[in-house]
Amino acid sequence: MSATPMTPVTPLASLGAGFSNEAFGSLAVFRAVLQALSHPGRTVAVEHDAQTSAVGHAASAAVLLALLDSDCTLWLSPRLAASDAGAWLRFHTGCTLVSEAAQARFVWVAQGDVVPPLDSLALGSDIYPDQSVTCVVDVLRATATTTGSEGAWHLRGPGIQEVAALQVEGLPDDFEAQWAANQAMFPRGVDLLLATADHIVGLPRTTRATRSAAALQEA
């Protein structure tokens, strides 16, 4: 695997601090991630005191600070790669930055940057589905709503009682088709975390997501 630093040279003294208490800070954020992935469509607050980069949502940075370690590979979208976000995460976690999204076990996409096609990312295998990627996407909005709301995503699957509804701004126009293909590959596939400034929403690969009214009629 080739690995290429993707951030400009940043003096270590200028990097923000991580969690003031690494163990408790990481555990609190990790629990938020578990809650989000266990209850798809639910907005979960990410509370932390890390001094994150000015580029990228703080919730995303805190999530990656908690999840990454020296065995992890991370790909950053262009706006993040041009900032000190990569240097900050590399310094605090020891992760390896890679130049190709397909090489990464974690992907972070800044709001406004293009989300790589989901089928181009690491999808794992039927034997080792855990070797797939977790993709963190910064969005303008991701809020729980009612199923009758115009434009809402209808979510079904494990962790959801009947149907959950979600309003999202910032996903690709063809996301519905991409996600249907991803969900159909189970146990392989991408797990997605949508992030606003201080909240996350989980979309694990087991979740069905559609904007069509047919989702409300499924048993």
Side-chain angles (χ1 to χ4, degrees):
M1 175 184 298
S2 62
T4 304
M6 299 174 62
T7 57
V9 176
T10 305
L12 295 182
S14 69
L15 295 176
F19 302 126
S20 60
N21 185 306
E22 183 176 354
F24 288 118
S26 293
L27 182 58
V29 175
F30 184 69
R31 285 174 173 167
V33 172
L34 285 182
Q35 184 179 1
L37 291 174
S38 298
H39 301 281
R42 178 181 298 182
T43 55
V44 180
V46 179
E47 299 179 355
H48 66 94
D49 60 1
Q51 298 173 348
T52 61
S53 171
V55 178
H57 289 337
S60 299
V63 163
L64 291 166
L65 183 62
L67 296 182
L68 295 173
D69 59 31
S70 59
D71 293 327
C72 294
T73 49
L74 170 68
W75 181 84
L76 301 173
S77 69
R79 288 186 61 238
L80 292 162
S83 74
D84 64 354
W88 182 77
L89 285 168
R90 188 171 52 191
F91 175 73
H92 289 295
T93 70
C95 70
T96 298
L97 302 181
V98 295
S99 60
E100 301 293 335
Q103 299 172 337
R105 293 289 295 277
F106 289 87
V107 162
W108 184 9
V109 181
Q111 182 181 321
D113 280 350
V114 175
V115 179
L118 299 183
D119 61 5
S120 72
L121 303 177
L123 302 175
S125 66
D126 290 341
I127 299 176
Y128 300 107
D130 58 316
Q131 293 182 353
S132 62
V133 68
T134 297
C135 189
V136 183
V137 179
D138 292 351
V139 294
L140 180 62
R141 180 168 68 137
T143 55
T145 186
T146 60
T147 54
S149 298
E150 183 178 355
W153 289 97
H154 302 136
L155 312 180
R156 300 183 69 93
I160 301 172
Q161 186 174 4
E162 297 184 357
V163 181
L166 185 68
Q167 289 279 12
V168 181
E169 293 182 34
L171 290 175
D173 292 339
D174 64 345
F175 178 78
E176 184 172 3
Q178 285 199 55
W179 191 256
N182 181 71
Q183 197 270 333
M185 287 188 291
F186 183 82
R188 299 183 301 136
V190 174
D191 292 320
L192 195 65
L193 289 169
L194 306 177
T196 60
D198 52 11
H199 286 74
I200 55 174
V201 175
L203 283 180
R205 69 195 77 176
T206 53
T207 301
R208 300 190 298 280
T210 179
R211 280 181 165 173
S212 70
L216 303 177
Q217 307 302 321
E218 295 181 15

